[in-house]
């Protein structure tokens, strides 16, 4: 089994896309290289939450919605993010920088509430931290 | 080998990094450079030390002084005071009840734990195989493949009484025996590292802090059942774990403890990583098999069981991360050592992810059968100030709640099951009186509705109906007959769902109904949330839009 699985391929093509999604062209290419039907590729791409078949921002913000984060007032972090970014869950900012998403559990329950921007984890979040984090991320400082 | 005057172990677990650990480490290196101490102080990045809430953490040897909640600006003081003048920086040390506790052995949180699975976490550099070997790593693999027959290995694991740490507690030796008996030229070992239970992160810490223990466990399992290939199915949400596993596999192959003809024997075993893509159901073993094969992570019906027909149709043993990390210890130190912890039916230790309203949250490893009270009060330092213990939720959305009257329950598989809860993967979320139990049940149900793969009707439709009822109750429109309806629906879903996800989904509702029925009644009859969490109003909040990813 040296060849990559369909999920690995989808991760790769999604990462290579600046809009962070599996476009129709990319899906077609994956289908061809892996000898699968396009519907099969779409079936997999739409099943997993980390894949998207619609355009997303350059950075993906994943807010943890685990019970630990919920009990630690994670809701207020989500509200603050919506306010700072001016978007709802699943939406992308107008400048194409950020897409806001939820994650079931990021495994950082002891430092709840938490979130991840791309691969960078953040914990012990307070409402007042959000604006600074977003600003720093935009500037490429994180 | 170079000798250093001071060893500074900095926790590089995801939680400490998230709390700002990188910034401190950079600042520390700058300070060391400034004082020309880089030749005298060895900075070592370790895996998770456990007390995540107090991170970023650093332990300084030879004294073993532990510093907590480090900020970049603390680096100067530590270098100038401690490293140069040998004076502890009291202000940054662990404090309990105003007393400064200088070293790990004096802090109850660490002293009262028994570390078997987490033996190397926080002690070694997970990115250096030599440090694992220096702790006795890969000795068990060597012993297995040079001194033991396959049957011997299986017998030892059977005798140890080790049970699967992923949740269900199936005897590991028995699973291996079944796979061993299958007549097939190809077999697989799969490490289930798709830790999706909200509130549990012990697998993450083992993978990040001691990846070789899992690789070694897999190779031993491979030898026992006759497999030459293993897969680790790990969540994409854990990029640091993926990175450290990649490094570990590469290093293990370089020195010949993985790959062809391991340690010069005729046993060959290779491991490949498979990255998930965000689906809770993929932690269920048959869904995981589909996902490894690159398909949608939908469960298959059992039988055939994975040991008969698993990955690509071949016999497959699927073991959890924590289960596998136990294997080298059992082989190396023996059955008697392993059985010296835990109970007769549940031997060994269990790692719990202690979270919620306790004073010290983090990873806690204790012998199975340890009373819940010990974990919460002696190790976790009790409930956060001014509040009292109300309940603990175990096993995430598959589990249930343990109310305060059962706080002395021994934490083992049977005792928890008798209360309607489960061990699960070891998530332990502590709640005080500010938590509403109806809200908690609703929370988990939303999760299940969102994560249901949709293949079978009871799980797809049934859990949604239960959620509708709970939303009705928490918005003040509940009816008394809703309670019976919830129980009836819940029990039906348990009996008729295809896989473990659906079969356990109603548990949080059923256990809260069992122990906190009065709270449900208060929501319905008095239109009041006793904990002031539910905003009882006539409008039902359109929260499902938010949770339903499939429609977004």
């Amino acid at each position: 089994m040296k060849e990559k699985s369909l999920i690995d391929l989808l991760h790769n093509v999604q990462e290579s896309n600046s809009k962070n999604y599996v476009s129709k062209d990319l899906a077609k290419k994956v289908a061809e290289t892996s000898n699968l039907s396009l519907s099969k590729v779409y079936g997999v791409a739409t099943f997993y939450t980390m894949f998207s078949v619609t355009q997303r921002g350059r950075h993906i913000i994943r807010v943890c919605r685990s019970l630990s984060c919920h009990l630690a007032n994670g809701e207020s972090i989500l509200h603050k993010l919506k306010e700072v970014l001016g978007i709802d869950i699943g939406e992308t900012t107008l400048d194409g920088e950020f897409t806001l998403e939820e994650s079931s559990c990021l495994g950082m329950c002891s430092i709840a509430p938490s979130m991840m921007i791309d691969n960078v984890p953040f914990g012990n979040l307070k409402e007042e931290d959000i604006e600074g984090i977003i600003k720093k991320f935009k500037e490429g400082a994180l | 080998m170079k000798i250093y005057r001071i060893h500074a172990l900095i926790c590089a677990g995801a939680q400490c990094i998230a709390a700002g650990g990188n910034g401190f480490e950079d600042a520390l290196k700058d300070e060391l450079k400034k004082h020309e101490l880089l030749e005298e102080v060895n900075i070592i990045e370790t895996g998770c030390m456990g007390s995540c809430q107090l991170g970023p953490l650093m332990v300084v040897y030879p004294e073993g002084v532990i510093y907590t909640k480090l900020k970049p600006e603390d680096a100067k003081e530590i270098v100038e005071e401690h490293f140069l003048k040998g004076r502890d920086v009291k202000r940054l040390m662990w404090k309990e009840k105003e007393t400064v506790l200088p070293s790990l052995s004096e802090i109850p949180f660490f002293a009262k734990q028994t570390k078997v699975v987490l033996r190397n976490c926080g002690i070694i550099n997970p990115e250096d195989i030599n440090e694992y070997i220096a702790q006795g790593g890969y000795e068990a693999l060597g012993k297995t493949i040079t001194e033991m027959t396959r049957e011997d290995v299986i017998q030892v694991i059977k005798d140890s009484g080790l049970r699967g740490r992923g949740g269900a507690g199936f005897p590991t030796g028995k699973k291996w025996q079944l796979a061993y008996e299958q007549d097939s030229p190809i077999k697989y070992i799969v490490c289930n590292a798709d830790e999706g239970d909200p509130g549990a992160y012990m697998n993450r810490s083992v993978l990040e802090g001691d990846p070789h223990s899992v690789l070694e466990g897999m190779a031993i399992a491979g030898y026992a059942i006759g497999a030459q290939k293993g897969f680790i199915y790990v969540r994409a949400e854990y990029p640091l774990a993926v990175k450290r596993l990649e490094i570990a596999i590469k290093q293990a192959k370089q020195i010949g403890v993985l790959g062809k003809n391991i340690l010069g024997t005729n046993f060959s075993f290779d491991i490949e990583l498979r990255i998930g893509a965000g689906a809770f159901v993929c932690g269920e073993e048959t869904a995981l098999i589909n996902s490894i094969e690159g398909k949608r992570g939908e469960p298959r019906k059992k039988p055939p069981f994975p040991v008969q027909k698993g990955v690509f149709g071949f016999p497959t043993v699927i073991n959890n991360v924590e289960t596998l990390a136990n294997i080298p210890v059992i082989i190396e130190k023996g059955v008697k050592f392993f059985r010296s912890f835990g109970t007769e039916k549940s031997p060994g230790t269990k790692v719990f992810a202690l979270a919620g309203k306790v004073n010290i949250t983090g990873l806690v490893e204790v012998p199975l059968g340890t009373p819940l009270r010990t974990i919460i009060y002696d190790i976790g330092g009790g409930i956060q100030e001014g509040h009292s213990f109300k309940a603990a939720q175990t096993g995430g959305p598959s589990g249930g709640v343990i109310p305060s009257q059962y706080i002395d329950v021994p934490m083992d598989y049977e005792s928890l099951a008798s209360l309607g809860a489960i061990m699960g993967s070891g998530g332990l979320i502590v709640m005080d009186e500010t938590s509403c139990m109806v809200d908690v049940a609703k929370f988990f149900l939303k999760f299940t509705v969102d994560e249901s793969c949709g293949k079978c009707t009871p799980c797809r439709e049934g859990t949604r109906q239960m959620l509708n009822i709970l939303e009705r109750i928490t918005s003040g429109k509940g009816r008394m007959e809703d309670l019976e309806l919830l129980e009836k629906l819940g029990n039906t879903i348990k009996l008729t769902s295809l896989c473990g996800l659906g079969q356990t989904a109603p548990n949080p509702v059923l256990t809260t109904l069992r122990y906190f029925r009065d709270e449900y009644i208060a929501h319905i009859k008095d239109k009041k949330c006793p904990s002031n969490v539910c905003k009882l109003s006539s409008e039902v909040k359109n929260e499902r839009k938010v949770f339903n990813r499939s429609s977004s």
Side-chain angles (χ1 to χ4, degrees):
Chain A
M1 289 309 128
K2 276 274 174 273
E3 73 269 28
K4 288 190 173 265
S5 84
L6 177 54
I7 292 169
D8 290 332
L9 284 174
L10 287 170
H11 271 302
N12 290 350
V13 297
Q14 182 166 283
E15 264 165 42
S16 70
N17 183 306
S18 63
K19 299 260 164 48
N20 251 318
Y21 80 116
V22 181
S23 66
K24 206 171 174 185
D25 285 346
L26 288 173
K28 272 185 187 159
K29 225 181 255 172
V30 168
E32 276 164 30
T33 50
S34 53
N35 225 354
L36 294 165
S37 68
L38 189 59
S39 66
K40 174 104 197 260
V41 173
Y42 264 93
V44 171
T46 52
F47 182 84
Y48 296 94
T49 56
M50 291 180 98
F51 296 135
S52 175
V53 292
T54 52
Q55 286 191 11
R56 290 189 291 185
R58 261 194 333 134
H59 305 292
I60 311 286
I61 303 176
R62 294 194 169 85
V63 186
C64 185
R65 302 302 303 271
S66 131
L67 182 66
S68 321
C69 287
H70 180 69
L71 293 175
N73 212 8
E75 207 69 32
S76 71
I77 301 299
L78 188 61
H79 281 302
K80 188 72 192 177
L81 275 165
K82 285 184 189 173
E83 189 191 305
V84 170
L85 298 167
I87 50 173
D88 209 332
I89 291 161
E91 293 177 351
T92 302
T93 51
L94 284 176
D95 59 5
E97 283 290 309
F98 297 100
T99 296
L100 186 60
E101 293 186 356
E102 292 178 304
S103 176
S104 54
C105 180
L106 293 173
M108 296 192 280
C109 317
S110 291
I111 48 166
S114 69
M115 67 172 181
M116 269 173 98
I117 306 185
D118 299 336
N119 279 348
V120 187
F122 297 91
N124 291 328
L125 286 170
K126 292 185 195 74
E127 272 185 67
E128 55 265 32
D129 301 338
I130 301 296
E131 214 159 351
I133 292 173
I134 296 294
K135 195 164 165 261
K136 277 193 190 160
F137 226 93
K138 254 188 185 167
E139 293 163 355
L142 284 170
Chain B
M1 205 181 98
K2 208 165 157 193
I3 307 284
Y4 290 92
R5 182 167 63 86
I6 293 170
H7 287 246
L9 273 57
I10 297 183
C11 179
Q15 316 227 20
C16 275
I17 291 176
N22 281 346
F24 171 75
E25 191 179 335
D26 291 344
L28 188 69
K29 281 182 182 158
D30 286 346
E31 284 299 319
L32 290 176
K33 210 169 160 186
K34 219 185 278 170
H35 291 91
E36 291 174 1
L37 284 174
L38 283 169
E39 297 293 307
E40 287 180 47
V41 181
N42 190 13
I43 295 181
I44 301 156
E45 283 188 6
T46 72
C48 179
M49 296 183 186
S51 54
C52 308
Q53 191 184 26
L54 294 167
L57 293 163
M58 175 170 74
V59 183
V60 182
Y61 287 102
E63 306 94 326
V65 170
I66 180 165
Y67 290 122
T68 62
K69 293 198 170 175
L70 293 165
K71 294 190 183 73
E73 51 269 32
D74 298 328
K76 189 167 184 278
E77 194 177 345
I78 292 176
V79 170
E80 290 178 356
E81 284 295 301
H82 188 150
F83 292 0
L84 280 173
K85 297 175 188 159
R87 293 194 288 238
D88 302 339
V89 184
K90 296 252 175 331
R91 144 185 107 75
L92 297 169
M93 286 161 71
W94 190 294
K95 287 178 204 74
E96 268 185 49
K97 295 182 186 117
E98 305 299 308
T99 317
V100 175
L101 299 171
S103 64
L104 290 176
S105 56
E106 286 161 271
I107 298 168
F109 179 83
F110 297 102
K112 295 200 171 166
Q113 293 189 49
T114 308
K115 297 206 175 186
V116 174
V117 173
L118 301 175
R119 60 194 178 277
N120 295 322
C121 284
I123 294 168
I124 63 166
N125 174 356
E127 297 186 11
D128 184 352
I129 191 170
N130 291 319
E131 296 210 1
Y132 179 67
I133 290 170
Q135 296 286 331
Y138 289 109
E139 261 178 47
L141 176 63
K143 184 176 163 187
T144 304
I145 60 179
T146 57
E147 295 172 20
M148 298 167 82
T149 65
R150 294 164 59 191
E151 294 81 359
D152 288 342
V153 183
I154 292 172
Q155 195 58 49
V156 169
I157 301 302
K158 272 185 173 171
D159 291 344
S160 76
L162 175 67
R163 299 172 66 171
R165 300 292 195 246
F170 190 82
T172 306
K174 196 171 164 192
K175 198 186 258 184
W176 289 14
Q177 174 80 41
L178 291 168
Y180 166 81
E181 285 165 0
Q182 302 295 315
D183 183 21
S184 168
I186 295 175
K187 294 177 187 178
Y188 294 114
I189 298 291
V190 171
C191 167
N192 184 349
D194 188 66
E195 180 177 60
D197 263 8
Y201 61 96
M202 57 286 296
N203 291 353
R204 165 185 209 139
S205 292
V206 172
L207 296 171
E208 287 176 0
D210 192 17
H212 287 287
S213 65
V214 179
L215 304 187
E216 189 178 3
M218 286 178 76
I220 294 169
Y223 176 78
I225 71 157
Q228 298 193 350
K229 172 98 192 200
F231 294 100
I232 303 178
Y233 185 87
V234 57
R235 301 181 78 198
E237 288 91 335
Y238 290 179
L240 188 61
V242 171
K243 181 188 148 207
R244 297 216 169 123
L245 279 170
E246 280 169 349
I247 294 170
I249 292 172
K250 202 173 140 205
Q251 290 181 349
K253 280 184 182 170
Q254 269 166 0
I255 68 157
V257 288
L258 272 187
K260 278 209 167 14
N261 301 103
I262 293 175
L263 299 172
T265 66
N266 58 9
F267 172 61
S268 299
F269 189 76
D270 206 354
I271 294 176
E272 239 183 73
L273 286 184
R274 283 284 195 262
I275 317 292
F280 176 67
V281 69
C282 286
E284 196 280 331
E285 53 184 12
T286 59
L288 186 148
I289 290 169
N290 274 333
S291 193
I292 286 183
E293 293 177 4
K295 298 171 184 155
R296 292 165 69 96
E298 286 170 340
R300 303 170 178 178
K301 71 173 175 50
K302 295 190 278 192
F305 293 95
V307 288
Q308 303 163 304
K309 215 169 174 247
V311 177
F312 302 112
F314 297 107
T316 303
V317 159
I318 301 178
N319 284 145
N320 165 267
V321 171
E322 200 182 327
T323 315
L324 288 164
N326 270 304
I327 301 291
V329 179
I330 296 170
I331 299 286
E332 197 192 326
K333 299 201 170 162
V335 167
K336 212 173 147 197
F337 171 81
F338 186 75
R339 280 194 169 270
S340 69
F341 312 110
T343 66
E344 178 59 30
K345 280 184 172 174
S346 304
T349 60
K350 177 80 194 88
V351 185
F352 291 98
L354 189 59
K357 306 287 185 182
V358 281
N359 280 316
I360 311 169
T361 58
L363 283 190
V364 169
E365 183 171 357
V366 290
L368 277 160
T370 300
L372 179 58
R373 186 192 292 275
T374 307
I375 298 174
I376 293 177
Y377 285 92
D378 298 352
I379 298 172
I383 307 298
Q384 287 172 8
E385 212 177 326
H387 296 287
S388 54
F389 173 68
K390 180 174 183 180
Q393 159 78 26
T394 63
S398 309
V401 294
I402 303 170
S404 58
Q405 65 264 36
Y406 294 109
I407 191 164
D408 288 307
V409 64
M411 299 292 278
D412 60 54
Y413 296 92
E414 280 77 19
S415 306
L416 290 182
S418 73
L419 296 180
I422 61 164
M423 178 81 75
S425 54
L428 187 59
I429 302 174
V430 177
M431 289 171 279
D432 62 16
E433 72 280 1
T434 62
S435 310
C436 166
M437 301 323 263
V438 188
D439 178 66
V440 167
K442 188 174 82 172
F443 182 86
F444 279 120
L445 217 51
K446 272 181 183 164
F447 179 86
T448 326
V449 168
D450 185 34
E451 293 291 341
S452 172
C453 81
K455 188 172 177 175
C456 76
T457 319
C459 174
R460 184 185 64 237
E461 303 295 336
T463 54
R464 185 170 289 273
Q465 289 311 315
M466 287 180 80
L467 178 59
N468 287 347
I469 297 171
L470 285 177
E471 278 179 345
R472 199 154 73 207
I473 293 174
T474 53
S475 65
K477 288 180 171 174
R479 305 179 288 249
M480 278 309 283
E481 56 267 33
D482 281 343
L483 301 184
E484 260 171 69
L485 196 56
L486 277 175
E487 276 167 331
K488 213 170 163 185
L489 257 169
N491 287 319
T492 310
I493 294 166
K494 277 181 87 155
L495 285 171
T496 52
S497 287
L498 175 66
C499 83
L501 189 144
Q503 286 158 13
T504 56
N507 285 353
V509 180
L510 295 176
T511 52
T512 47
L513 265 172
R514 179 163 157 191
Y515 298 119
F516 297 96
R517 205 178 190 88
D518 51 332
E519 286 194 25
Y520 281 84
I521 294 171
H523 282 78
I524 295 171
K525 279 197 172 163
D526 312 337
K527 314 244 174 276
K528 235 181 105 182
C529 173
S531 316
N532 267 326
V533 172
C534 305
K535 289 167 189 69
L536 295 186
S537 65
S538 52
E539 41 142 4
V540 177
K541 276 195 288 175
N542 195 9
E543 281 175 61
R544 242 185 314 142
K545 197 185 108 208
V546 168
F547 271 85
N548 194 348
R549 285 199 200 100
S550 54
S551 67
S552 62

